[in-house]
Amino acid sequence: MAASLEEPDGAFVYARHGNPTVRALETAVAELEGGAGAQAAGSGMGAIASTLGALLRQGDHVVAQNRLYGGTRAFLDTLRRHWGVDVTHVAVGDPENVRAAIRPDTRLLFAETITNPTGEVADLPRLTAVAREAGVTTVVDNTFATPLLCRPIEHGADVVVHSATKYLGGHSDVLGGLAVFADDTTRRAVWERAVESGAVLDPFAAWLLLRGLQTLGVRVARQCANAQILAERLEADPRIAAVHYPGLPGHPGHGTAQRLLSGGYGGVLAFEPVGGLRAGRAFAESVRLASLAPSLGDVKTLVTHPASVSHRQLSAEQLARAGISDGLIRLSTGIEDVEDLWEDIDQALAAAQPEAAP
Ligand SMILES: *Cc1c(COP(=O)(O)O)cnc(C)c1O
């Protein structure tokens, strides 16, 4: 029994070390991602924290994408301030930036397949090649792409992390996270860290996530199709100043997206209504079918206004660097009928027009 407590694949003795329902989820997601194994966590941040905690030591250097999920960025900042891990943020759109940032003490490269909210797509085969040449481990956050659109391990990633709270669960009713590993050594190291820190998943949450996974294929296909149609209509609409969606030929990441993604360009798009901050706020407050909510990947369409919610702490200059104008709206498409969604967007845009102002 004691031996089982020391092994990720030991008998199920105590649930923090391993549980059959949690293991079923880990096995399913590892198979979806083409990995050797997975470690589930209580949320996406739990999976990221265990992974970074297991792989990094004091004095190590990390090269990270400059437009990371805010929670990841905050965690890296804490590692820098309190744990002696140095971090350099670079625009990973050009892998040469990553090559230039790598130093002899660089241990880890962290990137996201598709970034929030403007849909930059990381050129994973080239990024992981640069990292591998320097002996650097690559961790990829694949939350926005899901393993249906992209499987980063096939492109050379060593670890793939997910906020299962988003697409894998799919219904905004459960928190969870996963780290998937290309090799068993890393899996064991992250398992040990997760067991120590308690960043593990509750079996009932695992059961809900397994149920969510059963419909992942149909949900993501529909979410991508809806996003593509809405992005095209918004781009053609005179009430819109800009649309950011990797499925549009004019998007700077479209070429990379075409090479890297299969089956769609994701369910998240961003757009800027003419009229800036006031129009963005008015739009967000006027949607009826869509919900104003700060998550994504739900079967329901969710709208956020990053300048007043997820990115509210950023200065105007930091917002600009993150590619976020103050009127920008993020839309995470659900599985509703696309004509119903367009009707809702159309009426909210009408309410956001300058002449509609009181
Ligand atoms: C939401 C999210 C996370 C964090 O996941 P939680 O489940 O909220 O802890 C990490 N990365 C990305 C890209 C996310 O969207």
Side-chain angles (χ1 to χ4, degrees), residues 43-46 48 69 72 112 141 143-144 163 165-166 175-176 296:
S43 85
M45 284 317 303
I48 290 168
Y69 176 73
T72 308
E112 295 175 358
D141 186 330
T143 299
F144 274 49
S163 168
T165 312
K166 317 291 169 50
L175 276 166
L296 62 111

Side-chain angles (χ1 to χ4, degrees), residues 50-51 53 90 103 108 128 142-143 186 216 227 232 246 250 261 264 289 292-293 304 325:
S50 293
T51 299
V90 299
R103 318 189 307 217
L108 193 134
T128 59
N142 201 34
T143 299
T186 312
L216 182 67
E232 287 169 8
L261 308 179
L289 178 61
L292 191 55
T304 61
S325 72

Side-chain angles (χ1 to χ4, degrees), residues 17-338:
H17 296 241
N19 166 275
T21 312
V22 174
R23 179 58 44 77
L25 173 71
E26 290 166 342
T27 304
V29 177
E31 277 179 17
L32 281 170
E33 286 286 1
Q39 175 68 36
S43 85
M45 284 317 303
I48 290 168
S50 293
T51 299
L52 297 182
L55 293 174
L56 295 171
R57 301 286 177 272
Q58 186 179 26
D60 282 347
H61 174 241
V62 175
V63 177
Q65 189 164 359
N66 60 352
R67 292 183 177 180
L68 283 178
Y69 176 73
T72 308
R73 195 174 177 113
F75 188 72
L76 285 170
D77 209 41
T78 299
L79 286 178
R80 188 178 58 72
R81 285 184 294 118
H82 298 321
W83 298 94
V85 170
D86 198 12
V87 184
T88 305
H89 290 278
V90 299
V92 302
D94 181 356
E96 289 311 312
N97 293 342
V98 172
R99 192 192 301 278
I102 288 178
R103 318 189 307 217
D105 56 351
T106 304
R107 172 83 178 91
L108 193 134
L109 167 66
F110 196 107
E112 295 175 358
T113 314
I114 305 176
T115 63
N116 176 39
T118 51
E120 280 178 48
V121 182
D123 193 340
L124 294 180
R126 290 180 62 204
L127 286 176
T128 59
V130 167
R132 193 156 298 253
E133 231 174 83
V136 169
T137 300
T138 306
V139 180
V140 176
D141 186 330
N142 201 34
T143 299
F144 274 49
T146 82
L148 295 181
L149 305 188
C150 180
R151 309 207 306 168
I153 289 172
E154 289 176 358
H155 300 293
D158 300 290
V159 183
V160 175
V161 292
H162 276 281
S163 168
T165 312
K166 317 291 169 50
Y167 288 99
L168 300 186
H171 297 74
S172 294
D173 56 4
V174 56
L175 276 166
L178 283 119
V180 184
F181 312 102
D183 68 88
D184 267 327
T185 314
T186 312
R187 176 187 169 214
R188 194 191 164 99
V190 175
W191 173 80
E192 283 171 0
R193 180 44 53 111
V195 168
E196 273 172 13
S197 65
V200 296
L201 186 66
D202 176 74
F204 182 62
W207 180 80
L208 280 172
L209 288 170
L210 278 164
R211 202 172 63 168
L213 280 188
Q214 293 179 332
T215 54
L216 182 67
V218 285
R219 284 188 283 108
V220 169
R222 174 71 165 238
Q223 285 159 328
C224 289
N226 280 353
Q228 184 73 37
I229 293 169
L230 295 177
E232 287 169 8
R233 287 196 194 170
L234 287 164
E235 194 180 37
D237 196 298
R239 296 168 295 182
I240 302 297
V243 183
H244 310 275
Y245 183 63
L248 294 175
H251 188 278
H254 184 62
T256 309
Q258 267 184 317
R259 263 188 294 120
L260 198 73
L261 308 179
S262 56
Y265 296 92
V268 175
L269 61 106
F271 59 93
E272 301 168 30
V274 171
L277 180 64
R278 197 205 52 79
R281 272 213 186 118
F283 178 91
E285 284 162 9
S286 302
V287 289
R288 293 181 195 142
L289 178 61
S291 302
L292 191 55
S295 194
L296 62 111
D298 193 350
V299 288
K300 270 183 64 57
T301 295
L302 307 178
V303 163
T304 61
H305 178 224
S308 56
V309 186
S310 57
H311 295 67
R312 67 188 180 285
Q313 301 96 334
L314 303 194
S315 66
E317 191 207 324
Q318 287 171 317
L319 273 178
R321 236 186 295 137
I324 295 169
S325 72
D326 55 7
L328 184 122
I329 294 289
R330 183 186 77 187
L331 198 77
S332 164
T333 51
I335 61 170
E336 301 93 336
D337 186 289
V338 74

